[in-house]
């Protein structure tokens, strides 16, 4: 039977879902089993990955996946990443080729998402891929995500567990703050290690073209060094092919001022390196540490009345590229 989608097929309304009591679960074996059962029953469960917390649903259940869009207020033309426990399971959902094998062998499990042709026979709701012929797929490294995926034994669709357009969650408390009462349960494993979403690489033309669709927690340079070749960059103005590409995204309530080398008295100061500031992403100018701290610092500085957050310049190399990508979108006109 064809799946039914709710019109209008644009941005979904939030808060029309029935409000529920969100359960904060510890990461014990019985709690993970409970989380898996809830997913099987069609509920939304937020879970930790090494990048950010994900808002999970059974990827084969259209009703459950529709609830992700509704809970986040996410436009339904924006497809979701499918999470699986290992490479063998990934092959149930995507058409494989030598380049995909190469990148998966090198970087999975880890903060890398591959976009590949979707297997016709895959048991995925077409809402997951927003009707596209491709699927974004990832094997997360976080031990709790791994245990949940093994127990669930299937594909979990999961965007970052935040309201659409707002700051991504790197702690269970961020999930409760943004989506509390719209999620059945949150598995709380403390702060995420990487702190930025996965890097997305599109594998096109059976592997002859590799395109960086979103910079993220795996540095572009690491991928290019492994390939011995440069990745193409995504640049099709007006066409959203991996929209964290929406201009305004990751946005705090506050205004954001970038590349700040001095501050005005009324600004909150987010520093990098040896600077006098309210919060520092990394005093030792370590980009891995800065990436890990970014969203949490933005959450902290954004508490209270809206103001301006001024951010130090971040070098545009390694993870700095993904940090600057997030900051530029967070600063974009809303
Ligand atoms: O680290 C991450 O990737 C986190 C964790 C939870 O895994 N997930 C995440 O999901 O960041 P989300 O929904 O916030 O971002 C997924 C991005 C979106 O920009 C979406 O447009 C893109 O992936 N995407 C999904 N399917 C795609 C496809 N078939 N082709 C191109 N882009 C796709
Ligand atoms: Mg997101």
């Amino acid at each position: 039977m064809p799946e039914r989608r709710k019109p209008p097929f644009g941005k979904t309304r939030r808060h029309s879902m029935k409000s529920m009591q969100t359960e904060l679960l510890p990461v014990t074996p019985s709690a993970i089993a409970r989380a898996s059962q809830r997913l099987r029953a069609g509920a939304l469960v937020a879970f930790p990955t090494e990048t950010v917390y994900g808002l999970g649903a059974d990827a084969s259940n259209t009703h459950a996946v529709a609830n992700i869009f509704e809970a986040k207020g996410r436009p339904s033309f924006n497809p979701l990443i499918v999470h699986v426990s290992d490479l063998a399971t990934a092959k149930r959902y995507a058409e494989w080729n030598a380049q995909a094998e190469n990148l998966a062998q090198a970087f999975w499990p880890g903060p890398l998402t591959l976009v590949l042709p979707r297997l016709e026979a895959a048991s995925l709701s077409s809402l997951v891929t927003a009707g596209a012929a491709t699927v974004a797929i990832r094997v997360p490294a976080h031990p709790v995500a791994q245990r949940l995926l093994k127990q669930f034994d299937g594909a979990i669709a999961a965007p970052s567990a935040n309201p659409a357009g707002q700051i991504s969650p790197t702690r269970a408390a961020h999930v409760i703050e943004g989506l509390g009462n719209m999620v059945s349960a949150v598995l709380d494993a403390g702060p995420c290690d990487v702190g930025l979403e996965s890097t997305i690489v599109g594998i096109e033309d059976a592997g002859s073209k590799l395109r960086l669709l979103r910079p993220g927690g795996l540095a572009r340079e690491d991928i290019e060094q492994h390939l011995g070749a440069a990745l193409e960059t995504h640049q099709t103005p007006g066409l959203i092919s991996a929209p964290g590409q929406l201009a305004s995204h990751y946005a705090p309530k506050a205004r954001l001022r970038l590349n700040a080398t001095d501050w005005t008295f009324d600004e909150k100061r987010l520093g990098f390196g040896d600077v006098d500031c309210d919060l520092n992403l990394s005093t030792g100018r370590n980009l891995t540490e800065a990436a890990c701290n970014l969203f949490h610092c933005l959450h902290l500085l954004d508490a209270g009345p809206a103001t301006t957050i001024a951010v130090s310049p971040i070098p545009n190399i390694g993870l700095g590229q993904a940090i600057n990508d997030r900051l530029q979108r967070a600063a974009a006109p809303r």
Side-chain angles (χ1 to χ4, degrees), residues 194-214:
V194 175
L196 290 176
E197 293 85 348
S198 59
T199 301
I200 306 182
V201 173
I203 303 185
E204 299 163 21
D205 300 338
S208 61
K209 200 183 269 181
L210 298 185
R211 203 187 287 274
L212 181 68
L213 297 177
R214 176 178 74 181

Side-chain angles (χ1 to χ4, degrees), residues 54-227:
L55 177 62
D58 177 350
S60 68
N61 179 334
T62 292
H63 186 74
V65 174
N67 278 339
I68 289 182
F69 288 94
E70 189 153 359
K72 279 184 64 96
R74 177 179 175 114
S76 50
F77 56 77
N78 191 359
L80 305 173
I81 296 175
V82 167
H83 298 66
V84 292
S85 63
D86 54 29
L87 180 52
T89 314
K91 290 178 181 174
R92 286 195 230 151
Y93 300 96
E95 216 173 274
W96 225 248
N97 59 48
Q99 279 297 21
E101 187 72 19
N102 180 9
L103 288 176
Q105 291 288 356
F107 298 112
W108 278 359
L112 173 68
T113 295
L114 300 177
V115 174
L116 287 157
R118 164 191 170 139
L119 270 188
E120 286 278 345
S123 55
L124 289 178
S125 162
S126 62
L127 270 186
V128 170
T129 51
T134 53
V135 60
I137 196 151
R138 140 156 219 250
V139 176
H142 195 292
V144 174
Q146 275 290 331
R147 269 145 63 193
L148 179 66
L149 285 162
K150 287 213 171 77
Q151 180 110 39
F152 182 74
D153 189 27
I156 300 178
S160 52
N162 55 290
Q166 297 182 20
I167 310 171
S168 302
T170 56
R171 285 167 167 66
H174 299 158
V175 181
I176 302 280
E177 193 183 303
L179 295 176
N181 301 334
M182 280 187 272
V183 188
S184 160
V186 182
L187 278 166
D188 182 0
C192 302
D193 282 347
V194 175
L196 290 176
E197 293 85 348
S198 59
T199 301
I200 306 182
V201 173
I203 303 185
E204 299 163 21
D205 300 338
S208 61
K209 200 183 269 181
L210 298 185
R211 203 187 287 274
L212 181 68
L213 297 177
R214 176 178 74 181
L218 175 64
R220 172 186 200 133
E221 291 90 329
D222 290 347
I223 302 173
E224 292 181 336
Q225 196 180 22
H226 175 76
L227 294 170

Side-chain angles (χ1 to χ4, degrees), residues 50-52 170 192-197 216-218 272 281-282 286-297 314 318-320 322-323 326:
E50 71 278 25
T51 59
V52 299
T170 56
C192 302
D193 282 347
V194 175
L196 290 176
E197 293 85 348
L218 175 64
F272 178 76
L281 290 170
S282 170
N286 178 321
L287 289 166
T288 305
E289 183 185 26
C292 176
N293 288 332
L294 177 69
F295 288 134
H296 188 50
C297 287
I314 310 288
L319 291 187
I323 296 173
R326 303 304 186 269

